[in-house]
């Protein structure tokens, strides 16, 4: 094979986008996250998330293409994953559901290199940005999962496999008719409890006060969890949760942010 480039090829500089017109049905990132990894294998239930469409930068696209085969996971629901194999070590794994653009996730991973973070989202630019941050900061303890966190919990994680669960600023679905779409519900907590080992912490945060009250109510009522706060209320923001740009904007507008930290109790 000749070392010279074909006439139709040009050298690719990482971070610089190539102009390419995709044929119909051609994946956006051939080596990156799939558009619908679970496909039609599972029931079409009410979703707690709504995919957002926004522009993927050249740097994000390059990270998705290069790093996804090693640091990415498509949630297809077809197998139970070995977390030790996924991360290459037996460190405790914390699941983070919904990480936005990934800045807080990267900061927490850098501050706690002895723990692994499996970060789940459906926002492609955020996935690319977190991969970029992980590579730039040498964070080998981050893996990025693409798809439905419910399918991941139910079909792909073993019992007692998680050391923690983080749900920061989930969609509050403020309209009453949409409350059934909220993630933190009794059924979700039962599923999460089956994957969290005793003593694991579930940490939620929201700037939507009615949702915070609902979270507190359903967590208090669930027999698998106990409040870490002696007064049974909300917790101060712990030092390990960074103040995000989104949160800062909300605080400037007078929003009240509530944290909830509940512990998985011993199995009965």
């Amino acid at each position: 094979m000749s070392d010279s480039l074909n006439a139709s090829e040009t050298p690719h500089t990482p971070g610089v986008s190539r102009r390419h017109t995709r044929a119909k049905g051609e994946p956006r990132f051939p080596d990156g996250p799939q558009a619908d990894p679970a496909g039609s294998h599972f029931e079409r239930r009410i979703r707690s998330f709504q995919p957002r469409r926004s522009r993927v930068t050249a740097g994000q696209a390059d990270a998705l293409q290069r790093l996804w085969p090693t640091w990415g996971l498509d949630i297809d629901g077809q197998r139970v994953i070995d977390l030790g194999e996924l991360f290459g070590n037996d460190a405790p794994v914390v699941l983070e559901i919904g990480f936005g653009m990934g800045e807080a996730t990267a900061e927490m991973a850098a501050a706690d290199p002895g723990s692994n973070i499996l970060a789940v989202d459906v926002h492609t630019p955020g996935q690319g940005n977190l991969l970029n941050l992980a590579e730039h900061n040498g964070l080998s303890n981050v893996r990025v999962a693409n798809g439905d966190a419910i399918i991941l919990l139910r079909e792909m994680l073993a019992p007692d496999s998680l050391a923690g669960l983080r749900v920061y600023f989930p969609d509050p679905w403020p309209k009453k008719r949409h409350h059934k779409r909220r993630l933190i519900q009794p059924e979700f907590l039962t599923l999460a409890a089956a994957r969290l080992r005793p003593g694991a912490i579930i940490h939620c945060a929201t700037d939507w006060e009615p949702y915070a009250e609902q979270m507190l109510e359903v967590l208090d009522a669930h027999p698998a969890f106990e409040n870490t706060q002696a007064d049974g209320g909300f917790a101060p923001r712990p030092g390990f949760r960074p103040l995000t740009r989104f949160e800062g904007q909300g605080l400037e507008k007078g929003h009240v942010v509530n944290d909830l930290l509940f512990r998985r109790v011993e199995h009965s």
Side-chain angles (χ1 to χ4, degrees):
M1 180 182 293
S2 171
D3 291 335
S4 61
L5 292 168
N6 295 331
S8 60
E9 294 179 338
T10 55
H12 178 221
T13 302
V16 177
S17 179
R18 277 181 175 148
R19 286 189 172 274
H20 173 63
T21 302
R22 285 182 291 132
K24 186 176 181 180
E26 182 183 348
R28 189 177 186 187
F29 303 103
D31 296 320
Q34 299 178 37
D36 185 11
S40 59
H41 299 299
F42 298 95
E43 74 283 1
R44 293 297 177 186
R45 56 181 173 74
I46 295 172
R47 299 291 192 226
S48 61
F49 60 87
Q50 189 169 9
R52 295 171 290 153
R53 295 183 180 276
S54 55
R55 189 176 69 88
V56 177
T57 68
Q60 292 162 2
D62 178 69
L64 287 166
Q65 192 69 10
R66 290 187 301 104
L67 302 175
W68 190 262
T70 304
W71 289 353
L73 170 70
D74 276 309
I75 301 172
D76 58 14
Q78 299 302 299
R79 69 198 188 284
V80 176
I81 59 177
D82 183 327
L83 292 175
E85 182 180 328
L86 180 67
F87 285 93
N89 59 62
D90 293 325
V93 177
V94 175
L95 176 65
E96 182 177 355
I97 299 178
F99 55 81
M101 294 305 291
E103 293 98 338
T105 306
E107 190 172 334
M108 289 186 290
D112 185 14
S115 296
N116 295 322
I117 299 178
L118 178 55
V120 185
D121 211 307
V122 294
H123 188 223
T124 310
Q127 294 167 350
N129 199 59
L130 179 53
L131 288 171
N132 242 343
L133 290 169
E135 181 183 48
H136 180 74
N137 295 294
L139 304 176
S140 60
N141 58 336
V142 175
R143 296 294 182 270
V144 180
N146 167 55
D148 190 337
I150 299 295
I151 294 176
L152 174 67
L153 280 164
R154 192 181 65 199
E155 309 290 343
M156 300 181 70
L157 293 176
D160 295 353
S161 58
L162 296 176
L165 173 62
R166 296 168 181 163
V167 184
Y168 297 157
F169 304 99
D171 194 325
W173 296 102
K175 295 180 180 178
K176 188 172 182 179
R177 69 176 184 270
H178 291 156
H179 285 184
K180 60 189 175 184
R181 296 181 177 273
R182 288 176 172 175
L183 180 63
I184 307 301
Q185 307 274 7
E187 298 81 4
F188 171 78
L189 294 178
T190 297
L191 175 59
R195 303 295 177 254
L196 290 165
R197 65 187 61 165
I201 296 294
I202 177 170
H203 181 194
C204 304
T206 180
D207 65 337
W208 192 262
E209 290 185 83
Y211 194 10
E213 294 290 345
Q214 180 194 329
M215 289 180 179
L216 184 60
E217 180 181 344
V218 297
L219 280 161
D220 266 334
H222 202 286
F225 297 98
E226 62 182 7
N227 200 332
T228 62
Q229 303 304 297
D231 63 0
F234 298 110
R237 179 175 67 85
F240 65 79
R241 182 175 75 77
L243 184 69
T244 67
R245 180 173 49 186
F246 168 82
E247 184 178 358
Q249 291 170 349
L251 291 171
E252 289 176 0
K253 297 175 182 176
H255 295 184
V256 175
V257 175
N258 286 297
D259 284 74
L260 302 95
L261 285 96
F262 277 70
R263 183 179 295 106
R264 174 69 167 99
V265 301
E266 293 291 332
H267 298 310
S268 59

